[in-house]
Amino acid sequence: MPSRAGARRRPTALRTLGDLELEASRSVDDAVWGYIQGGAGEEETLRANREAFRRWTIRPRMLSGVRSVDPGTILLGTRVRMPFFVSPTAYQGRIHPDGECGTARAAARAGVLAMFSTLSTDPLEAIAASKPSGARWFQLYLQRDFGASRRLIARAGASGYSAIVVTVDTPVLGPRDRQMRSGLALSAPLPVGSGGDARSPARAPEVRGDRYELPPPADATWDVLDRVREATDLPIVVKGVLTAEDARLAVEHGARAVVVSNHGGRQLDRAPASLDALPEVVAAVGRRTEVYVEGGIRRGSDVIVALALGARGVGVGRPVLWALALGGELGVARYLELLGTEFATCLALAGRRSARELDRAVLGPGPPAR
Ligand SMILES: Cc1cc2nc3c(=O)[nH]c(=O)nc-3n(C[C@H](O)[C@H](O)[C@H](O)COP(=O)(O)O)c2cc1C
């Protein structure tokens, strides 16, 4: 096993998406690697997120006269160069000194949407200044005191974030064995750039004995979305639904988009793979609202499958952190470039000109189980 504490590689040396994870694993220490990689429990859901893609094949059409492809799309009214976006992930400054600001600059250059976590290392205002162009959305972890949530929403609005993404799958923190074993103690004081203000300093998730607590009130109900809506004119995106029932409730309470997500397999082990939950959510609310999916998206062909199943956009979490570990801002820029090129190539190979042309007719069943 190569040492992980070694020098960071030159990000430009990254030649393929397939090399990213291994290269990244050599760039950070075991504690940080466990934090990035870990899922909940036995990591069934984490594995399922990947396996779900293998149940589909892409039916390519030949000689369809595709001279050039347009991989871009529109997410909540903003044109983006690619249908994939940077999912919100906490503590990026623990992974590389470039932190969220580095990720923001790379996403701006790539012309893609990026979401930033309440539990960022850099302050949300500094992140916004690093991505003056293109869409950036603020991911809100509801605070126990709604006044603190309101102040975060106001700061995000004042800094030009164009949507509030409310994560709803984290009433308590999932039991993340690998992370706890590898020793990045989230109960230790961590720099939380966005999540705090003087009156109500944000706290990292706490592990107290066998109880896991997060800032969000674990007893919150869907009504809390109404309070968020009252606090802002920005569109509200609900992140972390896995059922038609919850998707409908999110839309009834004013969500303009929903993100089908199991938090990258870090919350409830044995929750369904995100891709498997996508069709029922699309069937329930897809006509009224935008539906995105995240979890296990690694290659351009994965983006095709997710869009063909009805997602309007897809989020990438760990791969961005791998790229950040590998080379900070330049690593993320290189990764986004590689994924974009691969998605455009897959579109052309499938004989489709644009993301809009992707529908169920693109998909076939996967290979029979061995
Ligand atoms: C290290 C790490 C930290 C995360 N932090 C957050 C967070 O602060 N807020 C949030 O809503 N989701 C968070 N997530 C979940 C991601 O937004 C996303 O749902 C998930 O990473 C997608 O799966 P993937 O990693 O397989 O691409 C985190 C995920 C990881 C791996």
Side-chain angles (χ1 to χ4, degrees), residues 35-38 46 49 87-91 95 117-120 139-141 165-167 169-170 176 179 239 259 261-266 294-298 315-319 321:
Y35 163 64
I36 296 173
Q37 297 296 91
L46 177 62
N49 275 349
S87 295
T89 52
Y91 311 125
I95 294 167
S117 170
T118 297
L119 301 175
S120 60
Q139 180 264 318
L140 177 71
Y141 274 131
V165 181
V166 184
T167 295
D169 60 13
T170 325
R176 299 174 188 173
Q179 181 176 312
K239 175 176 183 289
V259 188
S261 172
N262 50 37
H263 215 105
R266 293 159 82 81
E294 51 181 29
I297 287 147
R298 300 292 176 262
V316 282
R318 289 181 184 83
L321 300 181

Side-chain angles (χ1 to χ4, degrees), residues 17 43 101 116 119 138 187 192-193 210 218 247 249 252 258 299-300 316:
L17 287 177
E43 303 190 337
C101 287
F116 294 98
L119 301 175
F138 178 71
S187 53
V192 180
D210 60 354
L249 280 164
E252 277 163 27
V258 295
R299 308 295 306 220
V316 282

